[in-house]
Amino acid sequence: MKVWKKLSAVLQAALITFALQTPYIPMLNRADYKSRIHYLYAQVTNLLGEYSFTGLLIFLAILYFVCHVRQREEVRLYKRGILPYFFSFCLLTGQSCVREGSLSLCFGSGFRVAAFLLSFAGYAILFRLLIPLFLDLYKKAAVSKWGPAKLEVFLGPKCFRNVFLLLLILWAPVIILSYPGNLCYDFLGQIDQGLGITGYSTHHPLLHTFIATGIIKFGRLLTGSLDFGLFLYCLLQAAVLAAALAATVDRLAKRGVSCVLKMVAVCVYIFAPMYSNIASTAVKDVPFMAAFLWYILLLEDLLAGGVEHRKPLYWVRLTAVQVLAGLLRNNGIYVVVLTGVVLTVVYRKKLLLLCTTVLPLVLYLGGNGLLAFACGAEAGSPGEMFSIPFQQTARYLQLYGDEMTEEEKKVIAKVLTDPELVAERYDPNISDPVKALYLQDCGAEKLAAYFKLWFTGFFKHPAVYLEAFFVHIYGWFDPGVTNAVRYEAQSDLFRQGGLISGADKLLLFVYRFAEYIPFLAVLENVGVYTWLLFLLGGKVRREKCKKGILLAPLFISLLICMAAPCFYLHPRYAFPIMFTIPFLYGIMSEEAVVERSDGNFPRI
């Protein structure tokens, strides 16, 4: 038995080493080799990789790690679940999508499948060891009594004020150097609408358009310059976001969360480049995230204190924040309403159905409708919702367009114009080029005919649909993908270059350079936060924590991300997940949940 355990450790270490050093190379072409033997030799050597002394050292280090870690109690007691295999699949398919824009590096040939299976096993073993170590570390942090006196004071009763001021002070250099403000392309479209350069459209949230342009016009009224108005807007949005983040730390303090977890949350807010980056960028996601954080805080209050005996003021505040989240970002209302449905199903209370689902939806539709009527806004394109099927159709036309009849192509043409142009515009990274071909006046009948054809195509070539889907969403799940971005939008309406000449280029360099610093890159990587969400979800499910409902808005947001036009360089779509994970890990820790006498909120 001891010999078998040693051999098992060697085999596990070998598989992990193979997975970590898997060569992602383009598919080999048989015609490039003299004979079948030469071709097979090249395939085998590419599969195994080249010998290196570094590889041997990695193997020995991993062997030592495996032998020692698998004997630890938390690893031995860890219940086998799907997450190690899911994470392994995400890493491997993600890297194939990055390099080839397809899954060919995983399933393109028998040798690629063999490499995938070996790497899959290696990564699964590695995550099978790492996940319980991470959960044990989280548990120890939750019950830790460590906390220097000064830090306890800083994160004590006045932590809201302290964290709020700290964040503003640390963000101030970036905001000032970015003067009058870093610009996002969507924001420029909203400013053009607010200043009358173009007509209003519900493609962007009208409430945010009015707020942003109102502040900018006010700045112009005071100084005669749009620049000051933009700078004033950036200051205000940064203050609102800092207040929301400070409120999460304040809530952790009130729930008795350990100093370690409070400090971790604050450190993420300080060191993750995405916070100072987005706070200095004029974009709708900043006020939306502030509203979303307040929404999460109100939900936590509801779960901690129960539904009964709530004062009317609480329901007014909750409803107002839910409507605000919807009005500040168009897809925000989907998160709110679907979360309300989850709450209603769990608690079976009619009051929850009214206050978290029906009322917010009605007020949102009425408020947005009034805003649209007041400014004569055009409706946004319904095609925004069809990123995935449009991408699948474009990929299908590229590969199997010659199999389609003229009648079938006419069905597509009535929705997406010329099928040949659709195939030509297909970009696996973003659906906007294809969606731009959508005919808004096509009507429900033609759209229904298109989806009937789309559904038929799935049964003819399901692999095409699945591949187009994975290529479209892989970035949300793969921590191996770089996704940080500093927007570089320019406009003749505002001065360029920042406060001093070249300041914008300096900041661009700093934020892009941060992507190459492992610690900082991890702190703003979407895939990392998605994995953290799944790990927390697994823990909540196993331990049946009622506060796990707080994860519902995040999982719904992840589904919305998957339906978004792209992942490439747009991590802001996942901000509802990324900005709330530090708080949720704190609030769901062992010291965060006080056991109630009725047993509704068991300790986790």
Side-chain angles (χ1 to χ4, degrees):
M1 183 63 70
K2 290 183 178 180
V3 174
W4 165 245
K5 287 184 177 181
K6 292 180 180 179
L7 291 175
S8 173
V10 171
L11 178 60
Q12 291 180 28
L15 287 171
I16 294 173
T17 304
F18 178 84
L20 294 175
Q21 299 185 94
T22 300
Y24 291 95
I25 59 174
M27 297 282 292
L28 299 181
N29 187 355
R30 169 66 179 85
D32 295 335
Y33 296 87
K34 295 180 181 180
S35 66
R36 185 176 181 83
I37 295 297
H38 288 85
Y39 175 66
L40 291 176
Y41 175 77
Q43 288 280 24
V44 171
T45 53
N46 283 329
L47 175 64
L48 297 177
E50 296 183 1
Y51 165 79
S52 69
F53 184 67
T54 303
L56 177 60
L57 293 178
I58 293 174
F59 168 74
L60 293 175
I62 292 175
L63 179 60
Y64 178 84
F65 171 78
V66 170
C67 290
H68 285 75
V69 169
R70 68 178 187 168
Q71 301 302 322
R72 295 182 58 165
E73 183 179 5
E74 60 270 22
V75 174
R76 290 189 291 105
L77 296 179
Y78 176 68
K79 295 181 180 179
R80 296 182 181 275
I82 195 175
L83 286 184
Y85 309 102
F86 176 69
F87 291 167
S88 179
F89 181 83
C90 290
L91 272 182
L92 294 170
T93 55
Q95 292 309 301
S96 179
C97 292
V98 169
R99 287 167 170 77
E100 289 293 310
S102 69
L103 298 176
S104 62
L105 296 184
C106 292
F107 311 110
S109 69
F111 283 97
R112 297 313 308 171
V113 171
F116 169 80
L117 292 176
L118 291 172
S119 298
F120 179 81
Y123 275 125
I125 293 169
L126 179 61
F127 293 130
R128 174 70 177 77
L129 299 173
L130 291 178
I131 289 176
L133 293 181
F134 171 79
L135 294 176
D136 182 63
L137 181 64
Y138 172 47
K139 179 180 179 180
K140 290 178 179 177
V143 299
S144 173
K145 301 301 180 182
W146 176 86
K150 291 184 178 180
L151 187 60
E152 290 282 9
V153 171
F154 183 83
L155 298 177
K158 296 183 179 180
C159 66
F160 175 84
R161 179 202 64 187
N162 297 336
V163 175
F164 174 72
L165 293 177
L166 177 64
L167 292 176
L168 286 184
I169 291 171
L170 294 176
W171 294 349
V174 180
I175 297 173
I176 293 172
L177 285 175
S178 299
Y179 182 89
N182 189 40
L183 294 168
C184 173
Y185 296 99
D186 285 357
F187 187 83
L188 288 178
Q190 293 178 262
I191 296 304
D192 286 344
Q193 294 178 20
L195 296 180
I197 299 174
T198 60
Y200 284 97
S201 169
T202 58
H203 176 73
H204 299 296
L206 291 172
L207 178 62
H208 180 255
T209 298
F210 290 146
I211 292 173
T213 52
I215 294 172
I216 290 175
K217 288 178 181 178
F218 177 72
R220 181 177 61 180
L221 180 65
L222 293 178
T223 64
S225 169
L226 290 174
D227 290 345
F228 179 76
L230 177 60
F231 182 66
L232 181 61
Y233 169 80
C234 289
L235 286 177
L236 292 175
Q237 73 165 15
V240 170
L241 179 60
L245 294 172
T248 64
V249 183
D250 182 64
R251 180 63 58 83
L252 295 179
K254 291 178 178 178
R255 294 288 186 253
V257 174
S258 70
C259 184
V260 174
L261 289 179
K262 287 187 292 184
M263 185 184 68
V264 168
V266 173
C267 285
V268 171
Y269 298 159
I270 291 173
F271 292 109
M274 62 184 177
Y275 288 97
S276 59
N277 183 4
I278 206 68
S280 61
T281 302
V283 62
K284 59 194 171 191
D285 298 270
V286 178
F288 166 70
M289 273 316 307
F292 189 86
L293 285 167
W294 285 109
Y295 170 60
I296 293 294
L297 289 168
L298 286 170
L299 284 185
E300 191 278 333
D301 187 32
L302 179 68
L303 297 173
V307 179
E308 291 80 7
H309 310 300
R310 285 280 172 182
K311 295 181 179 179
L313 181 60
Y314 170 83
W315 298 111
V316 171
R317 290 169 58 200
L318 178 61
T319 303
V321 171
Q322 291 175 120
V323 175
L324 186 63
L327 292 176
L328 288 174
R329 187 168 179 85
N330 292 337
N331 55 30
I333 194 62
Y334 302 125
V335 177
V336 166
V337 170
L338 292 176
T339 301
V341 172
V342 172
L343 284 167
T344 303
V345 170
V346 171
Y347 281 92
R348 300 178 182 179
K349 299 288 185 180
K350 294 182 180 179
L351 181 62
L352 283 174
L353 177 65
L354 175 65
C355 294
T356 64
T357 306
V358 178
L359 194 57
L361 180 60
V362 171
L363 292 177
Y364 162 78
L365 293 174
N368 212 39
L370 287 174
L371 292 174
F373 176 78
C375 62
E378 295 182 356
S381 172
E384 293 294 323
M385 299 183 294
F386 305 138
S387 291
I388 291 176
F390 285 173
Q391 286 289 85
Q392 291 170 328
T393 295
R395 181 68 170 165
Y396 190 100
L397 286 168
Q398 271 194 349
L399 298 178
Y400 300 104
D402 56 342
E403 295 182 3
M404 302 186 73
T405 66
E406 290 302 317
E407 288 300 319
E408 289 175 330
K409 290 183 178 180
K410 287 180 181 178
V411 171
I412 295 175
K414 292 177 181 178
V415 176
L416 291 171
T417 66
D418 182 12
E420 292 185 4
L421 184 58
V422 172
E424 180 184 331
R425 285 199 178 186
Y426 173 70
D427 182 343
N429 290 318
I430 184 169
S431 65
D432 285 347
V434 174
K435 285 196 308 182
L437 301 175
Y438 175 72
L439 302 173
Q440 296 196 48
D441 58 350
C442 64
E445 184 178 347
K446 295 177 182 177
L447 198 58
Y450 160 77
F451 275 107
K452 182 179 179 180
L453 178 64
W454 169 83
F455 189 73
T456 303
F458 172 77
F459 290 99
K460 291 182 178 179
H461 297 286
V464 175
Y465 279 51
L466 293 174
E467 185 175 61
F469 174 72
F470 276 112
V471 173
H472 189 73
I473 68 166
Y474 72 91
W476 306 112
F477 299 92
D478 181 12
V481 177
T482 301
N483 53 249
V485 63
R486 174 76 174 177
Y487 290 102
E488 302 177 61
Q490 296 182 352
S491 172
D492 294 334
L493 295 173
F494 308 100
R495 61 173 289 180
Q496 306 296 311
L499 180 66
I500 56 179
S501 179
D504 59 337
K505 303 301 180 185
L506 173 63
L507 291 172
L508 180 63
F509 171 81
V510 168
Y511 282 107
R512 288 190 172 177
F513 182 72
E515 300 170 20
Y516 294 90
I517 301 175
F519 172 71
L520 297 180
V522 164
L523 288 179
E524 59 179 355
N525 185 282
V526 170
V528 170
Y529 287 87
T530 302
W531 285 19
L532 289 172
L533 172 60
F534 277 96
L535 286 170
L536 189 58
K539 177 179 172 60
V540 165
R541 181 185 62 82
R542 288 193 303 271
E543 298 170 355
K544 299 180 180 180
C545 173
K546 285 279 184 85
K547 280 198 175 183
I549 299 174
L550 289 173
L551 299 183
L554 278 66
F555 280 109
I556 295 168
S557 296
L558 181 60
L559 293 176
I560 292 173
C561 286
M562 293 166 64
C566 66
F567 157 77
Y568 183 65
L569 291 183
H570 285 279
R572 62 187 178 90
Y573 296 156
F575 279 173
I577 301 172
M578 301 171 77
F579 279 45
T580 53
I581 281 293
F583 167 71
L584 291 175
Y585 264 83
I587 209 67
M588 293 186 188
S589 64
E590 291 190 23
E591 295 299 306
V593 182
V594 179
E595 187 173 12
R596 289 161 54 96
S597 58
D598 58 9
N600 285 338
F601 294 90
R603 296 178 66 87
I604 64 172

